[in-house]
Amino acid sequence: MSKIKLMSHLVAGYPTDELSFTAARALVNGGADILEIQLPFSDPSADGPAIQTACTKVLQRGYKTKDGLAFIERLHKEFPQVTIYLMSYGSLVYTPGVENFCKRAAQAGVKGMIIPDLPFDYDEGLTAACHANGMENIPVAAPSMSKERLAKLSKAGFPYIYAALRTGITGTDTIIEESTLEFLKAVAQGGSKVYGGFGISSGEQAKALADNVEAIVAGSVFVKIITKNENDADKLYKEVRAKAEELTGKTNK
């Protein structure tokens, strides 16, 4: 079986910038094709307990948007071959001005923006600002969307769409069912490439999804490993890398 493409999610600065960077290195060495870096946010609408807790701990250190962008810039310089997407929520982008934020993100090395609470057709100018700075806006599709709205999104001309594989929050296991695959087909009907995630934590899930998506997305599984090993950088590196290798099909578990 060929390698499965992996988009791996990390919270910038969790639990420290150095350990977060160690985790990123492990992900890249484990085969991750895309790093989705989340700027910590105080009231996330889609993130489960693992990511919420990580965000809270980073924010308690006084972490700011500029710190997250500096972290991304460091990653981009270290791993120029790896695509970096920035994930956050609308207020962090809107407060400094959408165009200003997108310019700063692009300068740091970001290639795409994932802002789940900005609807694709009322995005405060995000898509245009992304394009002006050589980035893509990657809207989020959810199974709770009506068929009409999902069809509108799928045919809106976005190169990539992030498909949340179920409703609710991240972090609990997702069962890949026939309905999941039907949803992914609907997201892709307009020709967009689809990233599929929410609750992906095992090689078996990754294999079940791989033929139906451009890349699988995994986040909470890595945050949990980082949390468990935050006092042992070597073990953190080994376990994050091993999980990345499992999800990309480098190892079979």
Side-chain angles (χ1 to χ4, degrees), residues 118-134:
L118 278 184
F120 72 93
D121 45 358
Y122 295 97
D123 69 1
E124 305 291 349
L126 179 63
T127 299
C130 282
H131 287 168
N133 289 281

Side-chain angles (χ1 to χ4, degrees), residues 177-252:
E177 303 173 307
E178 191 59 39
S179 59
T180 313
L181 303 182
E182 289 300 320
F183 168 64
L184 289 170
K185 286 176 188 171
V187 176
Q189 65 182 313
S192 302
K193 293 181 178 179
V194 179
Y195 300 124
F198 251 52
I200 302 304
S201 61
S202 72
E204 286 77 15
Q205 289 172 307
K207 284 177 195 169
L209 271 182
D211 290 341
N212 298 274
V213 295
E214 171 70 9
I216 64 152
V217 187
S220 292
V221 63
F222 292 118
V223 175
K224 289 173 184 175
I225 292 170
I226 292 165
T227 301
K228 186 179 78 170
N229 296 295
E230 61 182 309
N231 296 314
D232 188 337
D234 288 342
K235 197 172 178 191
L236 184 153
Y237 175 88
K238 287 174 184 172
E239 290 199 16
V240 169
R241 178 170 179 167
K243 179 55 71 173
E245 289 177 346
E246 179 191 339
L247 292 173
T248 57
K250 282 187 173 183
T251 59
N252 292 308

Side-chain angles (χ1 to χ4, degrees), residues 91-167:
S91 65
L92 281 188
V93 179
Y94 187 77
T95 301
V98 176
E99 290 183 22
N100 177 41
F101 186 96
C102 286
K103 184 177 180 181
R104 290 166 65 196
Q107 288 171 343
V110 173
K111 292 299 181 190
M113 303 275 285
I114 301 168
I115 313 295
D117 59 343
L118 278 184
F120 72 93
D121 45 358
Y122 295 97
D123 69 1
E124 305 291 349
L126 179 63
T127 299
C130 282
H131 287 168
N133 289 281
M135 301 188 297
E136 294 295 344
N137 177 26
I138 302 169
V140 178
S144 56
M145 281 181 162
S146 68
K147 285 186 178 179
E148 294 76 17
R149 184 157 179 79
L150 187 57
K152 184 180 177 185
L153 169 58
S154 74
K155 292 166 185 170
F158 291 97
Y160 303 99
I161 298 174
Y162 184 127
L165 299 178
R166 56 176 170 73
T167 55

Side-chain angles (χ1 to χ4, degrees), residues 10-140:
L10 277 181
V11 175
Y14 179 71
T16 66
D17 275 11
E18 283 309 313
L19 287 172
S20 193
F21 196 82
T22 297
R25 187 183 298 114
L27 289 166
V28 172
N29 292 341
D33 303 273
I34 302 164
L35 294 175
E36 178 196 2
I37 307 299
Q38 177 169 349
L39 297 186
F41 190 68
S42 57
D43 188 26
S45 57
D47 299 318
I51 293 175
Q52 278 197 36
T53 301
C55 285
T56 299
K57 288 185 176 178
V58 178
L59 291 170
Q60 285 170 346
R61 302 202 328 255
Y63 212 76
K64 307 290 186 192
T65 295
K66 64 179 175 59
D67 301 311
L69 291 174
F71 177 76
I72 288 171
E73 187 170 7
R74 182 183 171 194
L75 284 179
H76 178 58
K77 286 178 179 173
E78 184 80 12
F79 311 112
Q81 78 283 10
V82 176
T83 299
I84 297 177
Y85 292 154
L86 185 154
M87 182 262 162
S88 192
Y89 289 90
S91 65
L92 281 188
V93 179
Y94 187 77
T95 301
V98 176
E99 290 183 22
N100 177 41
F101 186 96
C102 286
K103 184 177 180 181
R104 290 166 65 196
Q107 288 171 343
V110 173
K111 292 299 181 190
M113 303 275 285
I114 301 168
I115 313 295
D117 59 343
L118 278 184
F120 72 93
D121 45 358
Y122 295 97
D123 69 1
E124 305 291 349
L126 179 63
T127 299
C130 282
H131 287 168
N133 289 281
M135 301 188 297
E136 294 295 344
N137 177 26
I138 302 169
V140 178

